[in-house]
Amino acid sequence: MRWYWIDRFIELESGSHARAVKNVSLAEEHLHDHFPGFPVMPASLIIEGLAQTGGILLGEARNFRDNVILAKVPRMEFHDVAVPGDQLIYSAQLQDIREEGGSVTVQADVGDRRIADGEIMFVHLSTDDPQLSRINQRAFVFQTNLLDRSADNPVPDAAGGPASAAEKQS
Amino acid sequence: MPSSEEIYARVRDVLVDALGLEDDEVTPEATLIGDLGAESIDFLDIVFRLEKEFDIKIPRGELFPENLAAADSGLVEDGKVTPEGIEQLREKMPHADIDRFAQDPQVSAIPDLFTVDMICRFLASRLS
């Protein structure tokens, strides 16, 4: 299992905002334990999906030169549940960005139902930090074409590598 | 320029939001780490919120300097900050109560220099 809690981006305005989709499926094993007979998307994984949406928005704004690490969730409120068959739309707006880190406000919606909203903070860690040598944020985004497989921005041809994808989005 | 009472009230609100506190937990003398439970990441959160609340820019290290009197700085002896180290603290943290700290300059007491009052004094000087 890979730690991807968004399926694809549907919008990314560099340095401003982003939206991503997470389709909730009964094929996801964790839903059978959470909860038996009453499958709902765990709130913690909604936060993770929101953090991936906001974290990639933040990372892209500095061309992925930092490791963007989820550091703090100052506020998160849940208003409703998401169940199998729902399509969660995660939205993130960049609030602050500086050398040390950044923050975003986020919302999760299913149609016109607000599931959650809150704030998330990230810190920037240097990519040459030995503890982080195995983290490759650029690969996280581009090996899966998270940014490319959107309706308005179809999968690029073979010549379009990661760098050109970043340029396209900026 | 806002009055010192106004600055304090707005700083209190910022800390309540950033640290998940009740209003009455915040006092001018409260230390951010010891009394209010702030952790390292909270300092960046506080800076973000103060910038927004007061519409100012706070460069890195200006309000919350990093690596104060590190063990290898030569400014620490036997767990105490040397007179040179204290002078350096005065330069780096002009809004902290260094006089009180200097009476018993234990390195372990450095985090106590970060108080609510220090933030208010920093802002008063920035906004004047």
Side-chain angles (χ1 to χ4, degrees), chain A residues 9 14 21 32 34 41 58 83 85 111 113 122-123 133 148 159:
Chain A
F9 274 78
S14 185
V21 166
H32 296 267
H34 188 283
M41 179 70 182
L58 187 61
V83 299
R113 271 194 304 135
F122 303 87
V123 289
S133 58
D148 291 322

Side-chain angles (χ1 to χ4, degrees), chain A residues 72 74 96 98 119 121 123, chain B residues 18 41-42 45 49 51 58:
Chain A
K72 180 176 176 181
D96 296 288
R98 55 194 282 160
E119 304 163 33
M121 271 193 65
V123 289
Chain B
I41 184 58
D42 294 318
D45 190 13
R49 289 172 194 273
E51 287 186 337
I58 303 174

Side-chain angles (χ1 to χ4, degrees), chain A residues 21 23 27 39 42 72 74 77 83 85 92-93 102 109 133 139 147 149 161 166 168-169:
Chain A
V21 166
N23 289 309
K72 180 176 176 181
E77 291 178 49
V83 299
Q93 301 81 37
D109 296 287
S133 58
L147 289 180
R149 286 182 185 153
K168 201 185 312 172
Q169 292 293 339

Side-chain angles (χ1 to χ4, degrees), chain A residues 71-72 74-75 95-103 119 121-123, chain B residues 17-19 41-42 44-45 47-49 51-52 58-61 66:
Chain A
K72 180 176 176 181
R75 183 182 71 82
Q95 297 298 317
D96 296 288
I97 181 168
R98 55 194 282 160
E99 194 65 30
E100 306 100 292
S103 68
E119 304 163 33
M121 271 193 65
F122 303 87
V123 289
Chain B
D17 287 344
L19 303 175
I41 184 58
D42 294 318
L44 183 58
D45 190 13
V47 166
F48 279 152
R49 289 172 194 273
E51 287 186 337
K52 203 162 287 171
I58 303 174
R60 182 174 193 169
E66 298 158 29

Side-chain angles (χ1 to χ4, degrees), chain A residues 36-110:
Chain A
F38 182 57
V40 297
M41 179 70 182
S44 53
L45 294 178
I46 292 178
I47 294 177
E48 177 64 25
L50 289 165
Q52 292 185 0
T53 307
I56 290 169
L57 171 68
L58 187 61
E60 194 277 341
R62 286 163 58 90
N63 203 21
F64 298 103
R65 70 171 180 266
D66 319 284
N67 276 310
V68 178
I69 306 295
L70 169 60
K72 180 176 176 181
V73 181
R75 183 182 71 82
M76 192 65 65
E77 291 178 49
F78 288 85
H79 309 284
D80 206 344
V81 295
V83 299
D86 281 346
Q87 183 174 66
L88 280 158
I89 302 291
Y90 295 146
S91 309
Q93 301 81 37
L94 200 56
Q95 297 298 317
D96 296 288
I97 181 168
R98 55 194 282 160
E99 194 65 30
E100 306 100 292
S103 68
V104 294
T105 50
V106 292
Q107 302 81 35
D109 296 287
V110 173

